[in-house]
Amino acid sequence: MIRSLYLAACSSLIALIFLCLAWELRLAPVHPGGSWLALKCLPLLAPLFGILHGRRYSYQWASMLILLYFTEGIVRATTERGTGQWLAIAETILALIFFGASVAYARLTRPSAR
């Protein structure tokens, strides 16, 4: 169970990083040719090392960070149309997967649960 949560968190975080980059640079940028909004993926790189190494503390604080991306996905899914809307829905789904996996991982790996 812990291994599957680890894999879900790692894969959804990496997918979200690539989605953010592709979205703002290629697929549906706010401005033609890309925008500085692509830098929104930089905060996702902060917990990446800890998540990949299974550090419980990284899972705990990254679960709060990911809520910003969930919020952005909901807002952009309701305000944009076309490709941007579908990318926002994908962002929301990836954020939810990461949130659920990271909260469950942190809960199952707490010292009192062992």
Side-chain angles (χ1 to χ4, degrees):
M1 181 68 166
I2 291 175
R3 179 76 175 158
S4 62
L5 292 171
Y6 166 80
L7 291 174
C10 290
S11 59
S12 61
L13 181 61
I14 292 169
L16 188 57
I17 290 169
F18 283 115
L19 175 73
C20 289
L21 283 174
W23 182 358
E24 299 303 338
L25 294 177
R26 254 335 198 180
L27 300 175
V30 175
H31 302 290
S35 70
W36 284 97
L37 199 54
L39 295 177
K40 73 180 180 183
C41 76
L42 289 179
L44 293 173
L45 295 175
L48 184 60
F49 184 77
I51 296 295
L52 292 175
H53 285 88
R55 296 196 178 122
R56 186 172 181 271
Y57 183 71
S58 295
Y59 281 85
Q60 290 173 325
W61 70 265
S63 67
M64 295 297 107
L65 172 70
I66 205 71
L67 294 177
L68 296 172
Y69 294 88
F70 171 76
T71 304
E72 184 207 15
I74 293 293
V75 168
R76 290 183 77 174
T78 57
T79 58
E80 293 188 13
R81 296 289 170 244
T83 306
Q85 184 177 30
W86 289 107
L87 293 170
I89 291 169
E91 180 182 35
T92 303
I93 291 169
L94 287 171
L96 281 174
I97 291 169
F98 180 81
F99 181 78
S102 63
V103 168
Y105 182 91
R107 185 173 186 187
L108 289 176
T109 58
R110 71 181 188 267
S112 62
R114 292 183 190 156

